[in-house]
Amino acid sequence: MTKKEEALDLLGADNFVVSSDDEQMKALEKSLDFIIDTASGDHPFDPYMSILKTAGTLVLVGAPSEIKLNPMNLLLGMKTLTGSATGGTKQTQEMLDFCCAHKIYPEVEVIPIQYANEALERLINKDVKYRFVIDIENSLG
């Protein structure tokens, strides 16, 4: 399954855009109210600012080593760049309640404890799509 198929079919996305495709990004210009940026690697921010509507917000939850953007992309259109590492207990519970109410579930790969070393190797080799969850209860029985 391709990333596009996965996003649209499995995750229920309304649209799929490759951010490195200038034409696709141009088609989204000033169309979004809110962007959650989960990328931890360094990447340009100006393309994302250009697809925000007036008073739109870009929230960083990843941790790039630096943020570089043209200040005019913030000033023109009253845009906001903000960040959040994690929420507190209340926000986490609200998020879990929201996900439960809307049937939003995590995509995980459940593994037995005996597979932990192989899972670590896969992490090192970047051969992981989602998160590993170790099934301890069924691994030790």
Side-chain angles (χ1 to χ4, degrees), residues 59-131:
V59 179
L60 300 180
V61 294
S65 64
E66 63 182 0
I67 298 170
K68 288 185 179 180
L69 62 95
N70 181 337
M72 294 308 286
N73 283 327
L74 284 174
L75 302 173
L76 297 175
M78 304 178 304
K79 296 172 184 171
T80 301
L81 175 63
T82 188
S84 176
T86 60
T89 303
K90 181 179 182 235
Q91 290 88 359
T92 301
Q93 188 61 57
E94 288 173 356
M95 182 268 311
L96 291 172
D97 292 344
F98 178 88
C99 290
C100 184
H102 294 88
K103 297 184 185 326
I104 300 169
Y105 306 108
E107 292 295 327
V108 298
E109 185 174 339
V110 179
I111 62 168
I113 189 83
Q114 296 83 356
Y115 188 73
N117 288 335
E118 288 87 349
L120 184 57
E121 282 297 319
R122 285 184 53 202
L123 283 170
I124 292 167
N125 294 325
K126 298 181 177 162
D127 180 30
V128 181
K129 283 190 176 188
Y130 303 107
R131 301 283 189 247

Side-chain angles (χ1 to χ4, degrees), residues 33-50:
D33 296 304
F34 191 84
I35 298 172
I36 300 174
D37 185 339
T38 62
S40 291
D42 291 337
H43 57 285
F45 289 87
D46 287 316
Y48 297 100
M49 299 305 287
S50 72

